[in-house]
Amino acid sequence: MPRTWKPSVTVAAIIEQDGKFLLIEEETSDGIRLNQPAGHLDPHESLEQAVVREALEETAYEFKPTGLVGMYMSRYRSARTGEAVTYLRFAFCGEVGAKLDRPLDAGILRTMWLTREEIAACPERHRSPLLLTCIDEYLAGKRAPLELLHTHASVYGDI
């Protein structure tokens, strides 16, 4: 029987403060890139839990999601390996909290607060082709309530 194709599910935090967006600068197989705090959905967690965890691990900032900006799909092919991956990204906006005294995830070089214009000026540095799309849709006011998402209890246990 052929293997079922499945996209990689990721979450991203759109964090804006005083007209600037919190991004990370990270080492990737294709060089140093910029991205929203983002990462993969882990087993036994909801999408909301995943984005809170990823924001904390990559930026050391607490994050409270308040809305779903959008659900996006993109395909990426590594220039180095030639491997292709399809990503299904859930982008959340929310409130930034305290910055904690903790190390950033391995591969994260630093956090940066940049304006939309500064981000748009360097598309060759974007890790995801959706980075600016997510920001533009956030700035356009696109939001869905978190109540739209439902995580069944079976996710949190072994079945």
Side-chain angles (χ1 to χ4, degrees):
M1 175 178 234
R3 185 170 177 226
T4 303
W5 171 84
K6 296 176 185 167
S8 292
V9 177
T10 62
V11 294
I14 302 168
I15 302 172
E16 184 263 340
Q17 190 171 16
D18 300 323
K20 293 187 176 189
F21 293 90
L22 180 60
L23 298 185
I24 55 149
E25 185 177 60
E26 62 183 323
E27 294 181 48
T28 75
S29 60
D30 294 327
I32 296 173
R33 298 287 187 258
L34 298 175
N35 202 7
Q36 279 111 1
H40 292 273
L41 176 67
D42 283 350
H44 308 293
E45 70 182 354
S46 69
L47 292 165
E48 298 99 310
Q49 289 168 331
V51 75
V52 168
R53 175 186 51 76
E54 286 291 348
L56 182 62
E57 290 174 354
E58 294 193 351
T59 70
Y61 280 96
E62 295 177 334
F63 176 68
K64 179 183 175 191
T66 57
L68 179 67
V69 174
M71 297 167 280
Y72 308 87
M73 200 156 70
S74 67
R75 192 159 186 255
Y76 164 78
R77 183 173 304 276
S78 171
R80 187 179 59 80
T81 67
E83 180 183 355
V85 179
T86 298
Y87 292 98
L88 180 60
R89 172 187 267 220
F90 292 81
F92 293 86
C93 61
E95 301 167 1
V96 66
K99 184 168 186 176
L100 305 180
D101 183 20
R102 58 173 284 147
L104 303 179
D105 258 1
I108 306 297
L109 302 175
R110 63 181 173 146
T111 60
M112 305 168 70
W113 290 93
L114 299 174
T115 65
R116 189 248 179 240
E117 292 73 25
E118 290 169 327
I119 297 165
C122 60
E124 72 284 353
R125 295 192 64 210
H126 297 182
R127 177 158 191 193
S128 170
L130 298 170
L131 189 152
L132 197 57
T133 300
C134 292
I135 289 172
D136 286 342
E137 293 193 354
Y138 165 82
L139 290 171
K142 291 189 178 182
R143 310 280 191 281
L146 295 179
E147 293 78 23
L148 180 73
L149 302 171
H150 176 79
T151 302
H152 189 268
S154 61
V155 167
Y156 304 112
D158 292 326
I159 56 170

